[in-house]
Amino acid sequence: MNIENGIQNPGKWRFRFVYAIALLLFAVAGGRLFYLTVVDKEFLQNQGEMRAVRTEAIPATRGMILDRRGEPLAVSTPTWTIVANPKALWKLDRHPEKNIGPEQEIKRLAEAMGVGRAWLQERFESNRKRSFMYLKRQIPPHEAEAIMAAKVVGVSKTKEYKRFYPAGEVASHVVGFTNIDDKGQEGIELAYDQALQGYEGKRRYVKDLTGNIIRGIGEEEAERPGENIELSIDLRLQYLAYRELKAAVTEHRATSASAVILDVKTGEILAMVNQPSYNPNDRSQLEYEELRNRAVIDLFEPGSTMKPFTISAALMSGQYTTESQINTAPGYLRFGRFTIRDATNYGVIDMEKLLIKSSNVGSSKIALSLPQDAIWNMDYELGIGSPVGIGFPGEASGVLPSHPKWHPSEIATLAYGYGLSVSTLQLAQAYMTLANGGYRVPVTIFKQDVPSEGKQVIPRSVAKDVIGMMEAVVQKGSGKAAKIPGYKVAGKTGTVHKVGSKGYEYDQYIALFAGVAPASNPRLAMVVMVNDPKGREYYGGEVAAPVFSRVMEGALTTLNISPDLPDGLREVRLDKKTAPYQVAQGG
């Protein structure tokens, strides 16, 4: 009996020992569970969130770019982007009989997306270790819904914005464009990318094991849309200038061209167009050369369009008056082996006729009679050789050479626009200053409610006299094609030999016209540059002046700028309700 009890007791003792160990383990596990769920519950929450909770960026709407009248030049439209989690897809358990598995999911997705199954499978294969992959970006809502209706594991959609440019190629060089990630790449989009971008928001959500969103759990930070930018551009004038410039390039088989219109009083750029151009809404066939905003990047020698400023320097010196006579005989001027020539021997001419005939010899003789830095100082004060400063990417500063001691030939060539280089915008700025009574205001691409403070660089009386001479160029000289019915136009033509690898090319030209209107009270300044016209016509008066006439006439009419009064007439208003009309003085 004692033996049986001795045999039974060890078994009972072992049972109680194992039972105690089990209770202890349960107690430890329970204690740990209590500690984690009550005392240190944040640990489990954090671990769960790391596996299931995600933070998603909320894209901010990019600011609009508007013209001066509020017309949109660049807007953002909401789109959807389809993304996938390849890692989650490849973790799926295969059940061929239930039509479940990565291959079956990819097949359904390919059908929903309208793409090849082999191509899509290869993409998932090459990204199988990644948890994020773009499938289709910036698609319309109805297309996104059709794809999401397939309910493919790991596939979700996210909101993005796509940039749209209502004016297309007409304003592309000014506005520029963004890439697929909504980052500015050219033009205003690039120059003011940070202001336009805004700030992304953030939100949190819970995802299941396959990567699908179950529910949102609140917003951490709201997005802030980008700033709207209001440009000085008038889209009506932009369309007009673009149309006429494109027609001229086609007609004269030119390589490229640019044109700029400035508001004389405020310095605002009302239109800036280039050829060739591109459509920012479809860049599939885009070529690099089409991206160039030639009006601010491309440089050229301005030629005879600089002669009004040579005369300005002469009048400012006190050595010359509007009645001064210049002897241009015998029609050429020699500096060793270098010879400056006129089209013919004009003999003795006054200042006005010098501009009408565009005498290189007369301009050179004037410059040589002045202090050696007089022409350089005039050009410098007009902004030649310095960036205009509109903040545009790649803006060229031009070239205004400076020498400690000037050779006479260098002074002479500078006087008629050779030996320096400008952009179309720089030349327009110079003519704007002359038209504004010699008062130079900063040029701007943004709409101005109040004109910026400027600087008087040419005496008002001198500027007025030179404008009068430029008016004679249009009435009697090479600028006749720039005439506008009802308006007086002041301007100057230029026909410049292009510079090649071995010097000047005598069969390649740049055709120029720079002018202002109305001449009696200038409001607009415009420069037209046509590069390498290949037709029978290549002079500035034949190629560029007609473009100026058509565009400026439309601009003056569009902006409701009153025509010039004929000489000897004045404007009278009977009362506020009566339209202005003209009567003879004293009548």
Side-chain angles (χ1 to χ4, degrees):
M1 188 69 180
N2 292 334
I3 295 173
E4 290 178 358
N5 289 339
I7 295 173
Q8 291 176 354
N9 288 338
K12 190 174 183 181
W13 177 84
R14 282 195 296 270
F15 172 78
R16 290 175 178 174
F17 177 78
V18 172
Y19 184 72
I21 293 296
L23 287 176
L24 180 62
L25 291 175
F26 277 115
V28 170
R32 182 62 177 167
L33 182 62
F34 176 81
Y35 178 79
L36 290 176
T37 56
V38 178
V39 179
D40 192 22
K41 62 181 179 180
E42 289 185 3
F43 174 80
L44 285 181
Q45 289 177 342
N46 291 336
Q47 291 297 310
E49 288 179 359
M50 286 172 61
R51 291 160 174 77
V53 176
R54 297 289 183 268
T55 300
E56 180 185 52
I58 306 173
T61 308
R62 192 173 177 87
M64 291 192 296
I65 300 176
L66 310 168
D67 87 334
R68 64 184 305 107
R69 300 169 57 246
E71 293 291 328
L73 301 176
V75 295
S76 292
T77 56
T79 60
W80 290 101
T81 289
I82 305 300
V83 299
N85 182 347
K87 187 186 291 186
L89 184 69
W90 289 110
K91 284 183 178 179
L92 273 178
D93 292 331
R94 286 173 168 80
H95 295 286
E97 68 282 357
K98 296 181 180 180
N99 200 30
I100 297 175
E103 292 79 7
Q104 289 77 14
E105 294 290 282
I106 290 173
K107 179 182 178 182
R108 288 195 296 115
L109 181 59
E111 291 173 353
M113 290 177 61
V115 298
R117 178 182 176 182
W119 172 83
L120 190 59
Q121 178 133 358
E122 192 278 329
R123 284 205 65 194
F124 273 95
E125 287 276 6
S126 60
N127 291 279
R128 65 187 304 152
K129 293 183 178 180
R130 297 176 59 188
S131 57
F132 180 86
M133 178 180 73
Y134 284 114
L135 287 176
K136 214 165 187 180
R137 298 194 68 178
Q138 298 182 350
I139 59 177
H142 70 274
E143 188 175 341
E145 290 301 324
I147 295 172
M148 294 306 298
K151 296 182 179 179
V152 177
V153 171
V155 174
S156 59
K157 65 178 181 178
T158 182
K159 192 174 185 180
E160 286 190 320
Y161 289 95
K162 185 177 182 180
R163 210 62 165 159
F164 176 67
Y165 303 95
E169 64 186 61
V170 173
S172 58
H173 290 112
V174 176
V175 179
F177 59 86
T178 61
N179 61 14
I180 196 168
D181 294 315
D182 223 17
K183 307 295 183 185
Q185 301 297 294
E186 292 287 338
I188 295 295
E189 293 276 33
L190 173 59
Y192 298 94
D193 184 52
Q194 189 171 357
L196 288 163
Q197 272 188 25
Y199 296 91
E200 288 184 339
K202 294 179 181 179
R203 67 181 171 196
R204 304 175 74 206
Y205 57 85
V206 178
K207 298 177 71 174
D208 63 18
L209 293 176
T210 61
N212 293 315
I213 296 175
I214 300 173
R215 59 184 175 85
I217 56 173
E219 187 175 279
E220 289 188 347
E221 184 179 339
E223 76 276 17
R224 283 182 286 168
E227 298 176 25
N228 292 339
I229 291 181
E230 191 172 23
L231 302 183
S232 59
I233 296 294
D234 189 319
L235 193 53
R236 299 170 300 176
L237 274 57
Q238 186 81 4
Y239 271 111
L240 177 62
Y242 182 84
R243 181 189 69 199
E244 296 298 338
L245 192 69
K246 186 174 184 178
V249 167
T250 302
E251 179 184 355
H252 298 285
R253 294 184 287 120
T255 301
S256 60
S258 60
V260 173
I261 303 175
L262 299 179
D263 186 305
V264 166
K265 305 298 181 184
T266 65
E268 294 170 297
I269 301 173
L270 300 180
M272 182 162 62
V273 296
N274 300 278
Q275 281 294 311
S277 188
Y278 66 95
N279 183 0
N281 297 309
D282 180 12
R283 302 190 291 275
S284 57
Q285 304 297 321
L286 181 64
E287 297 182 8
Y288 174 76
E289 280 298 304
E290 296 172 345
L291 292 175
R292 298 176 65 84
N293 185 350
R294 298 176 184 275
V296 299
I297 294 175
D298 286 6
L299 299 176
F300 54 88
E301 290 182 307
S304 295
T305 57
M306 295 303 292
K307 289 172 182 173
F309 306 112
T310 298
I311 291 179
S312 297
L315 296 177
M316 288 171 62
S317 72
Q319 297 176 225
Y320 293 87
T321 69
T322 55
E323 305 300 324
S324 295
Q325 304 289 301
I326 300 97
N327 186 4
T328 65
Y332 59 85
L333 194 60
R334 284 202 177 99
F335 300 91
R337 290 186 296 176
F338 176 59
T339 303
I340 295 173
R341 300 182 184 277
D342 281 339
T344 188
N345 181 5
Y346 297 123
V348 179
I349 56 177
D350 61 16
M351 293 286 197
E352 183 177 288
K353 192 168 183 180
L354 185 154
L355 270 189
I356 292 173
K357 297 298 183 181
S358 197
S359 172
N360 293 336
V361 173
S363 299
S364 299
K365 285 190 171 183
I366 287 175
L368 291 168
S369 70
L370 300 174
Q372 70 169 7
D373 59 352
I375 303 300
W376 188 93
N377 286 337
M378 179 82 269
D379 293 347
Y380 177 79
E381 290 293 335
L382 292 166
I384 306 300
S386 302
V388 175
I390 60 172
F392 219 86
E395 182 184 342
S397 59
V399 177
L400 181 60
S402 179
H403 307 289
K405 187 176 181 180
W406 289 81
H407 188 276
S409 64
E410 293 170 333
I411 296 174
T413 53
L414 204 65
Y416 60 89
Y418 280 80
L420 73 160
S421 62
V422 301
S423 67
T424 304
L425 181 60
Q426 283 180 317
L427 189 57
Q429 176 184 238
Y431 271 76
M432 175 196 75
T433 301
L434 195 61
N436 196 28
Y439 188 72
R440 178 184 164 190
V441 296
V443 174
T444 179
I445 192 69
F446 300 109
K447 183 180 179 181
Q448 299 290 299
D449 295 323
V450 179
S452 300
E453 186 177 349
K455 178 183 178 183
Q456 193 78 40
V457 297
I458 301 174
R460 182 171 290 276
S461 59
V462 170
K464 183 178 180 181
D465 288 339
V466 175
I467 290 291
M469 297 178 199
M470 289 163 53
E471 188 182 339
V473 172
V474 176
Q475 291 297 319
K476 309 172 188 177
S478 57
K480 290 179 181 178
K483 289 181 179 179
I484 300 173
Y487 293 89
K488 294 180 180 180
V489 174
K492 184 70 186 76
T493 58
T495 307
V496 185
H497 288 283
K498 292 190 65 175
V499 179
S501 58
K502 298 180 180 180
Y504 289 103
E505 302 286 350
Y506 285 92
D507 59 347
Q508 295 181 23
Y509 302 90
I510 292 176
L512 294 163
F513 187 86
V516 303
S520 60
N521 181 25
R523 292 284 307 280
L524 302 177
M526 180 178 179
V527 171
V528 179
M529 186 279 286
V530 181
N531 175 31
D532 194 20
K534 299 178 182 65
R536 294 179 61 183
E537 298 175 330
Y538 57 85
Y539 287 108
E542 299 172 323
V543 177
V547 178
F548 175 95
S549 175
R550 292 191 290 268
V551 175
M552 185 61 80
E553 181 179 9
L556 293 168
T557 304
T558 300
L559 298 178
N560 198 28
I561 296 175
S562 300
D564 294 272
L565 295 174
D567 294 335
L569 296 184
R570 61 184 175 88
E571 187 177 286
V572 176
R573 284 185 183 272
L574 294 181
D575 55 49
K576 293 182 180 179
K577 296 182 180 180
T578 305
Y581 64 95
Q582 299 166 357
V583 296
Q585 280 191 338

